[in-house]
Amino acid sequence: MNKTHKLETILWSIAFPGFGQLLNGHLIKGFVFILLEFVINVNSSFNNAIMLSFLGKITEASKVVDHQWLMFYPCVYMYAMYDAYKFAEGKNPRLSFVPFAFGAYFVTIGLMYSPKVFFGISFGPIWLPMLFLIPGIGIGFIIRYFLIKLTIKPNNGG
């Protein structure tokens, strides 16, 4: 089986956690991620919240979603993306997991703050976590950059 490219596995993992693993030939792991996504999605009423959010019914979305179950989703989702990326064709850059980890962390923070109103606007359990992903990944890349700079050993050879 030919290995897939990193971008392809990332995009399929964004579409549905576990699809990237299936593309990489990791069938058991892929089906575990699909099962986890299904269990979390059903128990958190995530699809209902997504639908209501896209229809502009943020208050209803906040009422229908079960935050206790939804708190599992960012870590499963981002880890599935990282895992698919890691095992796809191509070199794995040093500390490539850091942006994924910080993305999951920030999405979780966005989910925790989603019941709050900011600037008179309620973003709800879908839009606020999605907005928090952007700085999460950005900060992850910045931290990764500094960690790489700190851990590079100077070449003292002459």
Side-chain angles (χ1 to χ4, degrees), residues 45 51 74 84 89 127 135 158:
S45 297
M51 182 184 70
E89 184 178 305
W127 299 116

Side-chain angles (χ1 to χ4, degrees), residues 4-153:
T4 53
H5 295 283
K6 292 189 179 299
L7 179 60
E8 182 180 5
T9 60
I10 287 282
L11 293 176
W12 277 110
S13 291
I14 289 171
F16 203 93
F19 282 8
Q21 285 75 16
L22 295 179
L23 283 172
N24 286 336
H26 300 155
L27 302 182
I28 295 172
K29 198 177 348 177
F31 286 121
V32 168
F33 280 124
I34 291 169
L35 178 66
L36 283 170
E37 200 283 339
F38 180 77
V39 168
I40 294 167
N41 194 312
V42 168
N43 285 299
S44 68
S45 297
F46 192 40
N47 281 349
N48 281 340
I50 292 171
M51 182 184 70
L52 291 167
S53 293
F54 272 78
L55 294 173
K57 300 177 180 180
I58 304 299
T59 304
E60 291 90 339
S62 295
K63 290 178 183 175
V64 74
V65 75
D66 183 335
H67 282 81
Q68 292 298 316
W69 272 99
L70 195 53
M71 293 291 284
F72 289 108
Y73 199 73
C75 290
V76 170
Y77 192 82
M78 294 303 287
Y79 183 75
M81 287 174 54
Y82 167 68
D83 182 76
Y85 172 86
K86 178 181 175 182
F87 290 102
E89 184 178 305
K91 186 175 181 279
N92 288 316
R94 286 185 61 212
L95 303 172
S96 60
F97 66 91
V98 175
F100 291 97
F102 274 86
Y105 178 68
F106 273 65
V107 170
T108 303
I109 292 171
L111 184 58
M112 288 187 291
Y113 281 97
S114 65
K116 304 279 186 202
V117 176
F118 297 94
F119 309 110
I121 301 170
S122 175
F123 291 96
I126 305 303
W127 299 116
L128 192 63
M130 285 173 61
L131 290 172
F132 271 54
L133 178 62
I134 297 163
I137 290 175
I139 290 170
F141 274 111
I142 292 168
I143 290 172
R144 178 181 169 264
Y145 172 81
F146 283 113
L147 286 173
I148 288 171
K149 289 292 183 191
L150 287 171
T151 58
I152 289 178
K153 295 176 184 163

